[in-house]
């Protein structure tokens, strides 16, 4: 949200919390003004519509997380390690920022801009791993593999948000089981999924 002024950023952060808690169609101007701690007139001056605000928040979250995950890879070229780390980044962030996690968990399979998160780095790493022989699945199964990754991440995030598992437990399990399903040997999948996870870089 670097292009937003401080008031707009405050409104967007409040909207993220409200959308995560109430849903996309249950937030009104009064709710938003109260949550953001500003006057209703301030909301009207900085907002076209609630629907437009939702789309802007969703698009920003997708682009920002995509950029941060890609930046985290650095010189790491192994598609399996990149995938394991990418999955665990999402799950750890759900623990660190519960409203962010709740928003992603609630809308990422229904909103087009959020669905794009699953077709960025994960798709590139799947194709790279398949071409190099690192993974073992048929190319026509690519869409199903992406859905498997998304489902594993969202399921693990839910466990973390509900307090059933720690982010380390849920993240490592999701990454390990996914890598095994893609053809990585069990011991290596476990090793790749339990290593120290680096910090998630800030966006440029």
């Amino acid at each position: 949200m670097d292009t937003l002024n401080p008031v707009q950023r405050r409104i967007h952060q409040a909207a993220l919390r409200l959308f995560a808690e109430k849903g996309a169609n249950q937030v009104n101007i009064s709710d938003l003004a109260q949550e953001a701690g500003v006057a209703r007139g301030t909301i009207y001056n900085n907002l076209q519509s609630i629907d437009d605000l939702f789309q802007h928040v969703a698009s920003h979250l997708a682009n920002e997380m995509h950029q941060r995950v890609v930046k985290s890879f650095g010189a790491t070229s192994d598609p399996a390690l990149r995938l394991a780390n990418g999955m665990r980044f999402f799950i750890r962030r759900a623990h660190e920022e519960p409203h962010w996690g709740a928003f992603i968990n609630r809308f990422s399979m229904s909103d087009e801009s959020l669905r794009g998160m699953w077709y960025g780095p994960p798709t590139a790493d799947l194709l790279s791993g398949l071409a190099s022989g690192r993974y073992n699945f048929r190319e026509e199964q690519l869409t199903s593999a992406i859905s498997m990754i998304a489902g594993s991440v969202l399921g693990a995030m839910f466990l973390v948000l509900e307090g059933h598992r720690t982010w380390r437990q849920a993240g490592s399990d999701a990454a390990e089981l996914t890598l095994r399903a893609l053809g990585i040997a069990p011991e290596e999948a476990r090793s790749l999924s339990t290593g120290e996870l680096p910090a998630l870089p800030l966006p440029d």
Side-chain angles (χ1 to χ4, degrees):
M1 301 179 188
D2 294 338
T3 60
L4 304 179
N5 64 45
V7 171
Q8 291 170 330
R9 188 174 298 111
R10 191 170 175 177
I11 292 170
H12 279 234
Q13 290 169 344
L16 170 63
R17 295 191 294 270
L18 289 173
F19 288 138
E21 293 171 0
K22 295 188 171 189
N25 300 316
Q26 302 301 318
V27 176
N28 57 46
I29 297 296
S30 295
D31 293 334
L32 192 53
Q34 182 176 359
E35 183 70 20
V38 299
R40 285 170 55 94
T42 302
I43 300 293
Y44 285 115
N45 290 337
N46 289 275
L47 187 67
Q48 292 184 357
S49 69
I50 295 293
D51 287 343
D52 182 73
L53 176 62
F54 176 85
Q55 290 303 322
H56 196 284
V57 170
S59 177
H60 170 79
L61 291 187
N63 292 334
E64 183 244 17
M65 192 59 175
H66 173 91
Q67 182 185 114
R68 294 178 73 180
V69 169
V70 170
K71 191 175 179 181
S72 76
F73 292 153
T76 303
S77 59
D78 179 16
L81 179 57
R82 288 162 59 104
L83 179 59
N85 282 359
M87 293 177 70
R88 294 167 69 206
F89 278 133
F90 273 81
I91 297 159
R92 184 177 70 183
R93 190 170 179 185
H95 161 73
E96 295 171 344
E97 303 175 41
H99 282 103
W100 178 92
F103 188 94
I104 297 296
N105 208 267
R106 187 165 191 164
F107 300 113
S108 69
M109 298 303 283
S110 59
D111 180 78
E112 183 176 357
S113 59
L114 290 174
R115 284 200 306 270
M117 290 186 302
W118 312 118
Y119 290 90
T123 301
D125 288 328
L126 283 172
L127 291 172
S128 174
L130 185 62
S132 66
R134 194 83 166 95
Y135 295 147
N136 181 22
F137 65 93
R138 299 189 306 278
E139 188 168 356
E140 64 266 25
Q141 294 176 311
L142 178 64
T143 302
S144 294
I146 294 168
S147 296
M148 176 184 67
I149 292 167
S152 296
V153 170
L154 294 175
M157 288 171 65
F158 176 81
L159 293 177
V160 171
L161 291 168
E162 292 296 310
H164 299 304
R165 301 280 278 171
T166 68
W167 77 262
R168 288 182 177 84
Q169 293 167 335
S172 293
D173 285 349
E176 178 187 350
L177 293 171
T178 298
L179 290 180
R180 290 177 64 173
L182 293 172
I184 303 297
E187 288 187 7
E188 184 181 9
R190 177 65 175 165
S191 176
L192 291 170
S193 302
T194 54
E196 187 67 25
L197 192 63
L200 186 60
L202 294 174
D204 295 328

